[in-house]
Amino acid sequence: MRSKKPSTNAISGETGWTEIISPKRNFLDINLGEVWRYRDLIALFVQRDFVAIYKQTILGPLWLIIQPVLTTLIFFIVFTKVARLSTDGIPPILFYMSGVTLWTYFADCFSKTSNIFVTNASIFGKVYFPRLTTPLSIVISNLLKLGIQLGLFFLLFIVYYLNGQFQLHFQWTILLIPLLILLMALLGLGLGIIFSSLTTKYRDLTFLLQFSVQLMMYATPVIYPLSSTGGHLRQVLMLNPVTGIIETFRYSVFGQGVFEPALLVYSATFTSVVLFMGIIIFNQVEKSFMDTV
Amino acid sequence: MADTVIKIEDLYKQYKLGVVSTGTLAHDLNRWWYKLRGLDDPYEKVTELNTRAEKGNAEYVWALQNINFEVKQGEVLGIIGKNGAGKSTLLKILSKVTGPTKGQIKIKGRIASLLEVGTGFHPELTGKENTFLNGAILGMTKSEIRSKFDEIVAFSGVEKYIDTPVKRYSSGMYVRLAFAVAAHLDPEILIVDEVLAVGDAEFQKKCLGKLKDVSGQGRTVLFVSHNMAAIDALCSKTLIIRNGRVGFEGPTQEGIKNYFADSLKINEGKAIADFSRDMERYGKLVRIEAIEARSQFFWREPLELTFSVRRIDRNITALEFGFGINDTSGLRICTFESGEAYAFPEGSDTLSLKVLLTEPKFVPGKYFIDLGVRSSTTTLDHIICGVSFEVMEVDKQGNHFGFTQGTSISGYINTEGIVTQIIN
C-alpha cells in the first residue's frame, strides 16, 4: 500500500489515473476504442429497434416490404403513366424500386440520426456510454432493413428476367455494391450526426431537415436517370454525392446509366470529409449537450 | 493508507437560467467573438451563487463552485444537501453525463453510476431482453450479463414474469428488476443517487444490504440521499453540499449533526416576524421570542423543543405554557399543558425552556407546533405554526417501518414522558 497525501506529494498522487474529466476536449481526442468495447450495446440497440417497432402490429416486419412496394407503385403511376418520364429502357418498376430502396436507406440514416440527442435525452441524461453507439446502431438496423428490401428487389429482378422482359447486363462494378452501401451509410451517418449536434440547441433545424430530405430526393437521380439530364442541370446533379452512388448501382445491375469513377471518388471524398467533421463535432457536443437540450 | 481513487480539483459548473433557446445564438456569437480576441467568457462574470430561494438578476448561475475533495479506495462517502444544492450536478459530472465548466476530476478504476434505475428499459421488451439492454447501457458486456443473469433474476424476485414485456409489470416489479441489474454491476467505483427512495420497505432493506456488501468488498461508493438513516448506516464519511460549495467534509456522525444544524438555522432565521400571532390580543405583556426544533427526527427519537419568552411587564413572574402539534392537514393531533408555572430567573427578563418529549408516538411526516404562554388567569402570547419538524420513516438504527400520515390520527404524546427544564 502506498501512502498518499496528494496536496503535498504531488508526484506520486498524479500517477495511475485511468480517466480525467475536464471541461475541454481536444479536437482529435476521439475514443473509438471505447465504442468498440460497447459493441454489445450496439447489437442490443439494433435488436431492440427490430423487436420493438413491430410489436403489436398485425403485419409486423411485412411493413418493411410494403413501404418500398407502395412507393414504387405510386412512382410508376405518376412518373411513367402520367408524366411519361424516361427510365433509360429499364423496366420502370425495377428502375424505381432500385432508386427508392437505396434512397430510403440514405434518407433514414440521415434523418434518424439527426435528432438522437433530442430523442435519447432521457437515457443520455442518466448514464454515460459512448454516444456514437446510438447513431451507429441506427445505421446498422437500417442496413438490415435495406438487406431485406434489396432481397425483394432482386427477387423481382429474377421474375422479370424469367419472363424474358429484359436481358442480363451485369457489369463488373456489381462488385462495388457493398462499397456503395457503405458510402451511403457513412454519408447518412456523417450528415446525421452533424445535424444532431446542432438540433440540441436549435430545434428549427429539425423542421428544415424534414422537408429538405424530401426535396433532396428530387435533386438525386431516383425517379429519373442522370442520362436524361444535360447541361448545367447535370453539373449541379453531379455535385450531389448520392448521385454517383445510385447511378453506379443502376449501371452495375442494368448495364444502363452513368458510371464515372471520378464521380464515385468524389462521393467517397465528400463522405470522408463529412464523416470526419461529424465525428469531431459530435465528440465536442456529446459532453455538454445535456445542459442545452 | 488507501489509494486516492477520485480527486476533484477546483470544479465549477455553470448553468443558464430561464429558457435556453432564446438569445442563445446571440450569446454564442458574442462568446465566440470574445474567444477570438483571447478574452474571457463575457457571461462568466454575471454568474450568481447558487441559492434557490432568492431570485437573482443574473442569467447564468454557478451550480457548483470551487469543489475540491478526494475519495479513497474502499470509502463510502455520503453526499447530503438540500434540494438544489448541487448534489445531482456533481454526480452528473462524475458520471460523465455532462461536463464541468472549469476544473477537473481524476479517476482511477471503472466507474458505474446509478442516477436512475431502469434507464433505457423499453416497455415492449420482455424482462429478459431489458435486463440485457439495461446491463449493456450500464457498461456490461453480453457475456458478463449472461453469467450473472440467474443471480439478477433471483435478486429481483420476478422470475415468473421474466418473459413478459415490462409494460405489464407493476411499478414495483419494474424497479426491482431494474435495481437488480444495477446491483450486479462490478465497478470499482459506484455512484448511487437516491435510488433507494423507490420500492417497498422490504426491498429497500435488500438494496441497502446490497450496497453494504458492495462497500464491504473494498469498492468505493458515493451515495447521495436525503435519508439520514441510510447515510448513517452506510457511510463512513460525509460531504455536505451547500449552495454549490462543499459545506462540510468529515465523519458521518458530525456531518449529520451539521446538516441538522443547517435546518435549525433555517427555523431560527424565520424568527418571530413570520410567526402568526394575533397582534391585537397577544404579545403585549410577554412575547415569545424564539422557538427552535430540529427539522428532522428519526422515528421514535425523543423530540426536543426549545423556546424563550421575554417579559415586557415585570409584574409577571411566572408562566405556564402549552403546546399543540398539528399534522400537515392542519388537524390538531395532540396538546400538552405544562400545568405548573415556571418562574423567570432572578434578574432576567427572559425565560428559556427546553421541553423533551421522551416517548413521542408519531407517524412519519411533517408536523407544526403551536405554542402558548399564560399567566394563571389569561393567555399572554400564542403562536400558530411557530416551528415545523419532520419525523422520518426510519429509526436511528436504520430500521424502516411502512407508516404514512393521513389514514387516522397520526400520533399522540405520552405526557408522562415530557420533561421540562429551565435552561437560563
Side-chain angles (χ1 to χ4, degrees):
Chain A
M1 282 285 161
R2 283 176 299 167
S3 141
K4 276 199 186 137
K5 288 188 202 105
S7 50
T8 53
N9 188 358
I11 296 158
S12 75
E14 297 300 315
T15 52
W17 302 113
T18 52
E19 186 151 17
I20 293 180
I21 301 173
S22 58
K24 292 281 180 305
R25 206 182 251 184
N26 220 324
F27 269 135
L28 296 175
D29 183 14
I30 298 159
N31 199 345
L32 292 178
E34 200 183 20
V35 177
W36 177 245
R37 267 208 311 285
Y38 274 81
R39 59 191 181 278
D40 281 349
L41 179 61
I42 300 180
L44 285 162
F45 273 148
V46 171
Q47 190 192 340
R48 173 197 67 184
D49 289 346
F50 249 73
V51 175
I53 273 188
Y54 298 107
K55 284 251 169 115
Q56 288 208 357
T57 59
I58 295 169
L59 296 176
L62 225 58
W63 281 109
L64 284 178
I65 290 168
I66 296 172
Q67 278 164 352
V69 166
L70 283 182
T71 318
T72 302
L73 273 178
I74 287 167
F75 282 0
F76 174 68
I77 293 166
V78 174
F79 298 115
T80 302
K81 293 291 173 202
V82 180
R84 300 191 180 285
L85 286 184
S86 145
T87 56
D88 246 1
I90 302 166
I93 294 277
L94 289 183
F95 179 86
Y96 292 130
M97 189 169 254
S98 63
V100 165
T101 305
L102 292 180
W103 175 259
T104 311
Y105 178 57
F106 166 75
D108 279 356
C109 284
F110 182 17
S111 55
K112 282 185 186 154
T113 50
S114 70
N115 57 359
I116 44 167
F117 281 120
V118 180
T119 47
N120 290 293
S122 63
I123 301 181
F124 286 3
K126 296 295 179 188
V127 184
Y128 173 81
F129 50 87
R131 306 309 190 204
L132 263 179
T133 50
T134 319
L136 280 175
S137 73
I138 290 174
V139 168
I140 294 172
S141 55
N142 277 308
L143 193 64
L144 295 179
K145 225 168 103 177
L146 175 73
I148 294 171
Q149 292 174 349
L150 276 183
L152 176 72
F153 167 75
F154 282 112
L155 205 70
L156 268 180
F157 187 90
I158 293 168
V159 170
Y160 267 76
Y161 169 69
L162 292 179
N163 278 343
Q165 274 161 301
F166 72 96
Q167 302 294 306
L168 284 186
H169 294 292
F170 285 131
Q171 303 294 320
W172 69 271
T173 49
I174 202 160
L175 298 174
L176 289 179
I177 287 180
L179 177 75
L180 298 180
I181 292 171
L182 183 72
L183 277 180
M184 270 193 313
L186 297 182
L187 185 63
L189 176 72
L191 287 175
I193 59 180
I194 289 178
F195 275 87
S196 71
S197 309
L198 298 171
T199 46
T200 61
K201 245 185 179 173
Y202 309 109
R203 297 286 163 82
D204 315 44
L205 288 173
T206 328
F207 302 105
L208 180 69
L209 205 96
Q210 274 167 10
F211 75 82
S212 58
V213 169
Q214 271 172 357
L215 291 184
M216 231 178 102
M217 190 186 79
Y218 295 97
T220 312
V222 172
I223 47 168
Y224 53 84
L226 186 62
S227 61
S228 69
T229 60
H232 287 306
L233 184 60
R234 189 172 178 149
Q235 300 288 317
V236 173
L237 286 178
M238 283 163 85
L239 283 178
N240 179 344
V242 192
T243 300
I245 298 173
I246 291 187
E247 279 298 318
T248 307
F249 181 85
R250 286 205 181 116
Y251 173 77
S252 313
V253 177
F254 304 116
Q256 289 288 332
V258 180
F259 173 64
E260 271 184 46
L263 207 55
L264 217 52
V265 170
Y266 167 72
S267 296
T269 317
F270 192 95
T271 302
S272 314
V273 172
V274 163
L275 187 65
F276 185 66
M277 272 172 51
I279 291 177
I280 287 177
I281 296 176
F282 190 86
N283 198 43
Q284 292 294 311
V285 168
E286 70 168 21
K287 243 187 148 178
S288 59
F289 90 96
M290 266 326 290
D291 306 340
T292 49
V293 76
Chain B
M1 275 291 275
D3 234 4
T4 301
V5 289
I6 300 178
K7 188 174 179 189
I8 300 188
E9 294 169 337
D10 302 320
L11 196 75
Y12 284 78
K13 178 70 185 176
Q14 186 186 51
Y15 276 119
K16 189 180 188 303
L17 297 177
V19 185
V20 168
S21 62
T22 52
T24 42
L25 189 59
H27 279 195
D28 283 352
L29 291 175
N30 203 7
R31 236 186 211 140
W32 175 77
W33 172 233
Y34 270 71
K35 211 170 159 186
L36 212 65
R37 292 181 293 163
L39 298 175
D40 280 345
D41 189 333
Y43 299 102
E44 266 180 20
K45 290 171 200 146
V46 293
T47 1
E48 293 190 345
L49 195 68
N50 172 16
T51 44
R52 174 167 41 97
E54 295 149 40
K55 193 173 186 313
N57 299 319
E59 277 186 76
Y60 292 86
V61 73
W62 286 116
L64 291 175
Q65 274 194 88
N66 198 16
I67 304 280
N68 281 288
F69 68 89
E70 284 177 21
V71 187
K72 301 255 188 272
Q73 197 202 329
E75 208 166 56
V76 183
L77 178 72
I79 300 176
I80 52 184
K82 306 212 169 312
N83 287 331
K87 302 179 300 282
S88 295
T89 305
L90 179 62
L91 290 201
K92 275 187 177 168
I93 296 174
L94 271 166
S95 331
K96 298 200 288 178
V97 160
T98 185
T101 309
K102 283 197 272 184
Q104 61 177 7
I105 301 176
K106 293 172 181 163
I107 296 167
K108 228 177 265 179
R110 185 164 112 153
I111 193 164
S113 63
L114 220 55
L115 303 191
E116 178 189 72
V117 290
T119 307
F121 263 37
H122 194 290
E124 298 286 356
L125 299 183
T126 66
K128 186 174 180 177
E129 288 165 331
N130 270 315
T131 301
F132 277 86
L133 183 62
N134 186 235
I137 287 176
L138 293 172
M140 287 194 265
T141 62
K142 260 188 195 166
S143 57
E144 271 180 86
I145 305 166
R146 210 171 290 126
S147 67
K148 288 180 191 157
F149 184 72
D150 292 337
E151 235 179 289
I152 292 175
V153 176
F155 185 86
S156 70
V158 297
E159 288 97 333
K160 218 169 140 187
Y161 305 97
I162 201 72
D163 290 317
T164 308
V166 295
K167 65 176 175 181
R168 309 254 178 262
Y169 280 30
S170 75
S171 54
M173 282 157 61
Y174 186 95
V175 166
R176 276 160 173 267
L177 182 63
F179 185 83
V181 179
H184 289 82
L185 283 168
D186 264 333
E188 276 131 7
I189 304 167
L190 180 65
I191 299 179
V192 185
D193 187 9
E194 208 73 81
V195 284
L196 295 176
V198 291
D200 58 21
E202 177 214 337
F203 191 67
Q204 283 195 11
K205 219 169 172 181
K206 212 169 167 184
C207 297
L208 269 177
K210 184 75 192 174
L211 280 180
K212 243 180 183 162
D213 285 354
V214 167
S215 61
Q217 293 157 5
R219 292 168 212 270
T220 313
V221 181
L222 267 65
F223 179 54
V224 164
S225 182
H226 283 120
N227 184 337
M228 291 305 135
I231 294 270
D232 195 29
L234 274 178
C235 309
S236 49
K237 205 177 147 190
T238 300
L239 192 80
I240 301 181
I241 308 268
R242 211 175 272 151
N243 297 333
R245 294 167 186 273
V246 175
F248 171 88
E249 191 186 351
T252 298
Q253 288 299 326
E254 243 173 272
I256 293 179
K257 243 181 237 163
N258 205 305
Y259 179 69
F260 283 137
D262 274 7
S263 319
L264 194 63
K265 263 183 223 138
I266 285 177
N267 280 334
E268 265 176 53
K270 227 164 57 177
I272 280 324
D274 282 2
F275 292 169
S276 51
R277 148 202 282 149
D278 185 343
M279 295 300 283
E280 291 291 302
R281 284 169 65 192
Y282 301 132
K284 300 226 163 102
L285 302 178
V286 297
R287 290 177 73 89
I288 297 170
E289 296 271 86
I291 309 175
E292 289 170 14
R294 247 166 48 195
S295 65
Q296 269 185 316
F297 291 90
F298 290 108
W299 194 62
R300 282 193 169 152
E301 187 193 1
L303 298 176
E304 196 181 288
L305 172 73
T306 338
F307 63 93
S308 54
V309 189
R310 189 169 56 84
R311 62 179 165 185
I312 296 156
D313 184 342
R314 291 230 168 142
N315 292 323
I316 295 162
T317 55
L319 290 170
E320 287 176 26
F321 71 92
F323 61 83
I325 296 178
N326 308 321
D327 68 11
T328 44
S329 63
L331 181 71
R332 167 68 54 90
I333 56 166
C334 54
T335 44
F336 171 74
E337 294 294 333
S338 69
E340 62 178 298
Y342 294 87
F344 280 89
E346 202 76 30
S348 168
D349 287 334
T350 310
L351 172 68
S352 296
L353 291 172
K354 182 159 102 181
V355 185
L356 191 67
L357 285 69
T358 54
E359 291 172 48
K361 302 277 194 298
F362 291 107
V363 157
K366 199 170 183 181
Y367 296 91
F368 299 90
I369 300 176
D370 294 352
L371 178 70
V373 288
R374 61 189 70 91
S375 67
S376 52
T377 50
T378 178
T379 297
L380 297 170
D381 200 4
H382 184 85
I383 287 188
I384 295 164
C385 297
V387 71
S388 68
F389 63 90
E390 193 189 335
V391 175
M392 296 187 295
E393 291 181 6
V394 282
D395 71 5
K396 249 184 165 164
Q397 284 73 44
N399 298 313
H400 191 287
F401 305 88
F403 298 120
T404 40
Q405 207 179 29
T407 43
S408 60
I409 299 276
S410 312
Y412 69 95
I413 314 172
N414 183 353
T415 45
E416 300 286 301
I418 295 185
V419 183
T420 309
Q421 84 190 84
I422 298 177
I423 54 173
N424 67 334

